[in-house]
Amino acid sequence: MSLWVVVGGQFGSEGKGKVSAFIARKENIDICVRCGGPNSGHSFVNENGETIVLRQLPTGFINPSTRLLIPSGALIDPLILKQEIDSLCLSPERVGIDRKSFIIEERDRREEQSLGLRERLSSTLCGVGAAQARRVLRGGDAKLAADALNAWPWIEQYLTDVASEINSGLDRGKSALIEGTQGFGLSLYHSDFYPRTTSRDTSAGAFLSEVGVSPLRVTEVVVVFRTFPIRVAGAQAGPLKDEISWEQIQRESGYPHAIEELTTVTKKTRRVGRFDWDLARKALTINGSTRIALNGLDLFDYRNCGARRISSLDHQSIDMIGRLSEMGGCESVYVGTGPRLSDIFMAAHPGNRAFLVASQFRS
């Protein structure tokens, strides 16, 4: 039995989707659960160079034997979820939707637009915050997944009890992974930047609550960072420490072409900044990390791109991995050296910042 929780340590887009897919395949995870809603996308680049973006389903789909679940704490846009299920050709044997997950409606998107949330907080206007508010207010017209079958009859064949399914699976010795949403720096409760946060808590404890599983069952908490944290476009989204430009990163890294990242949902250029060690320390402390993942080492030095062992990295990268490992008290670090799923390996930390490659991803 093993239960993994994958958490973003900054403001989202740390590479949780890539790390979750890597773990799902490498550890042959039996059950993957995706928290949150469609206001954030998890992605990775597959072996064919195609970018896979999912807003509702977990990236653990890449393991053909993994069961994919959406928990009771999630918010569902039926159109987006159906499109993802169909595009991946997934059967009801692969996908389960908790009966108590909440349905986002068109009025939720209109409500967020009328409140000016994009101008005020850089909201994606996906209706997640408004739907969450309706859920809390418990009006008679609020719909859980099990109540929405007249409008969305296809949902019925996927309905399940996720808490029961994951707990019974763990009882039988199965492995499970909970893929958290967004990043710790956006937490409604723990961020230092309220109200410029998201509409939910984004810590490991919150994800366990969404799924319905005890913290006592957790065996691994993986906190994911990126070398240069990002926030979405617009100063109204919240402050970003030591903000720099993508052009500066290109100059420093020696990248042979222009670098720019767009947000998954709104397609706006992300703001980018230097690594915030204070935020990282807080994320590691509150989430109780057992492992760390660090993506974007190619942005330190282009020669790191696609590296598969520690000895191939520049000294700045090795030093950063060691410092994070020591800060979190973690013996294992997932090292990301590019956008592809194959651009990741796991390193063991025996001490004194000297790293040995423990294992590598093999496609």
Side-chain angles (χ1 to χ4, degrees):
M1 191 262 326
S2 63
L3 176 59
W4 301 64
V5 185
V6 177
V7 185
Q10 294 154 318
F11 303 103
S13 301
E14 302 94 348
K16 297 179 298 297
K18 183 175 73 169
V19 171
S20 296
F22 172 80
I23 295 171
R25 183 183 279 180
K26 181 178 182 298
E27 303 292 336
N28 197 25
I29 297 293
D30 297 302
I31 303 168
C32 277
V33 190
R34 169 70 188 272
C35 294
N39 55 332
S40 65
H42 291 184
S43 64
F44 62 86
V45 179
N46 66 17
E47 289 87 344
N48 299 320
E50 302 168 320
T51 300
I52 308 297
V53 180
L54 296 175
R55 294 168 59 187
Q56 297 266 209
L57 291 173
T59 57
F61 82 90
I62 195 166
N63 185 342
S65 63
T66 299
R67 171 88 162 146
L68 312 171
L69 300 176
I70 296 178
S72 59
L75 296 109
I76 294 173
D77 184 318
L79 289 175
I80 294 174
L81 178 55
K82 185 65 161 60
Q83 186 275 326
E84 291 185 359
I85 291 173
D86 291 345
S87 66
L88 297 175
C89 301
L90 299 173
S91 69
E93 287 70 37
R94 290 287 313 277
V95 179
I97 302 170
D98 195 276
R99 293 179 175 85
K100 296 182 287 293
S101 55
F102 197 84
I103 299 295
I104 299 170
E105 300 179 23
E106 178 58 34
R107 57 175 163 162
D108 296 315
R109 290 182 282 271
R110 292 197 302 267
E111 174 71 5
E112 292 186 351
Q113 188 170 12
S114 69
L115 291 171
L117 292 190
R118 176 162 291 171
E119 296 77 15
R120 185 158 57 90
L121 299 170
S122 287
S123 168
T124 58
L125 302 184
C126 293
V128 170
Q132 187 81 329
R134 285 198 302 116
R135 185 175 202 172
V136 171
L137 293 174
R138 293 155 288 171
D141 57 350
K143 288 186 175 63
L144 304 181
D147 305 322
L149 302 185
N150 286 336
W152 311 100
W154 62 268
I155 290 178
E156 185 172 15
Q157 61 188 322
Y158 298 96
L159 291 179
T160 187
D161 183 329
V162 168
S164 176
E165 194 169 326
I166 193 170
N167 280 289
S168 62
L170 293 171
D171 288 342
R172 299 194 306 273
K174 291 191 174 185
S175 57
L177 182 148
I178 298 173
E179 185 178 337
T181 188
Q182 299 174 293
F184 176 77
L186 297 173
S187 168
L188 182 66
Y189 301 150
H190 302 295
S191 173
D192 293 330
F193 309 112
Y194 182 88
R196 289 169 173 80
T197 67
T198 190
S199 56
R200 64 195 321 116
D201 185 18
T202 49
S203 66
F207 300 143
L208 293 168
S209 175
E210 283 191 38
V211 173
V213 64
S214 168
L216 296 176
R217 309 200 76 157
V218 176
T219 55
E220 303 285 353
V221 177
V222 183
V223 181
V224 186
F225 298 98
R226 52 182 293 158
T227 50
F228 294 91
I230 60 91
R231 291 202 78 158
V232 298
Q236 68 273 14
L240 181 62
K241 185 177 180 180
D242 298 328
E243 189 167 341
I244 57 176
S245 68
W246 291 106
E247 291 79 11
Q248 186 169 349
I249 294 176
Q250 182 187 1
R251 288 193 300 270
E252 293 177 3
S253 66
Y255 243 88
H257 56 76
I259 304 170
E260 182 184 62
E261 292 187 23
L262 304 180
T263 52
T264 303
V265 177
T266 59
K267 304 302 180 185
K268 293 179 180 288
T269 301
R270 291 167 168 159
R271 297 150 55 210
V272 63
R274 301 286 185 191
F275 195 87
D276 186 340
W277 288 98
D278 291 332
L279 175 60
R281 183 178 293 104
K282 186 175 181 180
L284 292 169
T285 298
I286 290 181
N287 289 290
S289 59
T290 64
R291 302 188 185 211
I292 290 169
L294 179 62
N295 285 308
L297 290 172
D298 53 313
L299 299 180
F300 267 159
D301 190 326
Y302 180 68
R303 290 171 296 183
N304 292 333
C305 190
R308 299 291 188 275
R309 56 185 184 273
I310 287 291
S311 60
S312 300
L313 301 177
D314 69 301
H315 292 301
Q316 183 182 15
S317 296
I318 295 172
D319 184 72
M320 187 174 194
I321 295 167
R323 184 176 173 185
L324 269 175
S325 179
E326 291 170 359
M327 181 183 289
C330 302
E331 295 183 356
S332 298
V333 180
Y334 296 102
V335 181
T337 59
R340 293 177 182 264
L341 187 53
S342 54
D343 295 334
I344 185 171
F345 63 91
M346 190 175 73
H349 176 30
N352 298 321
R353 301 188 183 180
F355 287 80
L356 299 174
V357 175
S359 61
Q360 295 191 69
F361 177 83
R362 299 295 184 190
S363 59

